[in-house]
Amino acid sequence: MSKSWYILHTFTGYENKIERTIRQQLEEKEMDANILTDVRVPMEEITELKVGKDGKQTKKSRKVNFMPGYLLLEMDLPEMDWRGTCNSLRRIKGVTGFVGTNPNERPRPISADEAKNLLQKMGVIKGGKPSHVKQSFNVDDEVKITDGPFATFTGVIKEVMIEKEMLKVEVQIFGRPTPVELSFLQAEKVI
């Protein structure tokens, strides 16, 4: 037996309640903690950049479920006696079953790479971006640089790289236009 990650399908909106129920069953020894070792709601942190009426940019961080209707379970599922654990999980109100299998089949784990990618996105393991920035920048917007060696400079956005969460901004240095790459968090819109 070895630990693997499985995906449990639930009713959307029930994820946190089901996670609490599973954790409570583990604490009360209704479920074997040697078999079910971890349960997680797939959440990521999003930082929103907003410009207020006063022209100041504010940053708000919040956690968002990026896979509504699913839970991640780390289990060391035995080859022979897997049905008891799986049936206990399926009986929880709001659980519809394991992804990719019928109720009478042994659940299939996700690959190690898939698990690593999900856990990195959640910020559980290093190597990923635990925070995602919700941007509202457009090409030709004027921005003020708030951090880094060009702090206090203003410039015009020439390119928005959403995947990298970066901006290419053209600033005037000694009277010459100079392109500078910044993260979304290093710039704020000028109104």
Side-chain angles (χ1 to χ4, degrees), residues 101-156:
T101 58
N102 293 323
N104 57 351
E105 295 176 350
R106 186 176 193 275
R108 288 188 291 272
I110 60 174
S111 72
D113 287 338
E114 289 171 321
K116 181 181 173 188
N117 289 339
L118 289 171
L119 294 171
Q120 282 179 339
K121 187 170 183 176
M122 293 166 58
V124 174
I125 59 176
K126 299 221 186 262
K129 288 186 181 178
S131 180
H132 173 71
V133 179
K134 188 174 178 183
Q135 64 90 21
S136 61
F137 296 110
N138 298 308
V139 174
D140 294 330
D141 283 350
E142 188 176 353
V143 293
K144 177 181 175 188
I145 301 172
T146 59
D147 189 28
F150 300 102
T152 70
F153 280 73
T154 58
V156 176

Side-chain angles (χ1 to χ4, degrees), residues 17-59:
K17 183 177 182 181
I18 293 169
E19 179 193 26
R20 284 191 304 271
T21 301
I22 292 171
R23 290 191 187 281
Q24 181 181 359
Q25 287 181 357
L26 288 169
E27 285 175 19
E28 294 172 359
K29 309 249 187 281
E30 293 175 27
M31 213 172 283
D32 191 348
N34 294 321
I35 294 174
L36 181 71
T37 57
D38 198 2
V39 57
R40 293 186 183 268
V41 176
M43 304 284 265
E44 72 176 328
E45 189 174 331
I46 292 186
T47 304
E48 291 184 83
L49 305 174
K50 292 187 178 183
V51 179
K53 292 177 183 176
D54 59 358
K56 297 246 183 201
Q57 181 170 311
T58 59
K59 299 173 191 174

Side-chain angles (χ1 to χ4, degrees), residues 6-24:
Y6 297 81
I7 297 181
L8 188 66
H9 188 259
T10 67
F11 293 157
T12 303
Y14 279 64
E15 303 90 354
N16 292 323
K17 183 177 182 181
I18 293 169
E19 179 193 26
R20 284 191 304 271
T21 301
I22 292 171
R23 290 191 187 281
Q24 181 181 359

Side-chain angles (χ1 to χ4, degrees), residues 149-168:
F150 300 102
T152 70
F153 280 73
T154 58
V156 176
I157 297 174
K158 293 299 177 187
E159 184 180 352
V160 179
M161 298 169 274
I162 294 173
E163 286 297 314
K164 293 182 180 179
E165 296 181 356
M166 300 286 286
L167 300 171
K168 192 170 281 187

Side-chain angles (χ1 to χ4, degrees), residues 1-7 35 75-87 90 97-110:
M1 294 189 304
S2 65
K3 290 182 185 179
S4 297
W5 286 93
Y6 297 81
I7 297 181
I35 294 174
M75 296 193 293
D76 192 359
L77 206 56
E79 287 296 322
M80 299 302 286
D81 191 28
W82 56 268
R83 289 182 193 271
T85 302
C86 293
N87 288 337
R90 284 188 191 104
F98 287 90
V99 171
T101 58
N102 293 323
N104 57 351
E105 295 176 350
R106 186 176 193 275
R108 288 188 291 272
I110 60 174

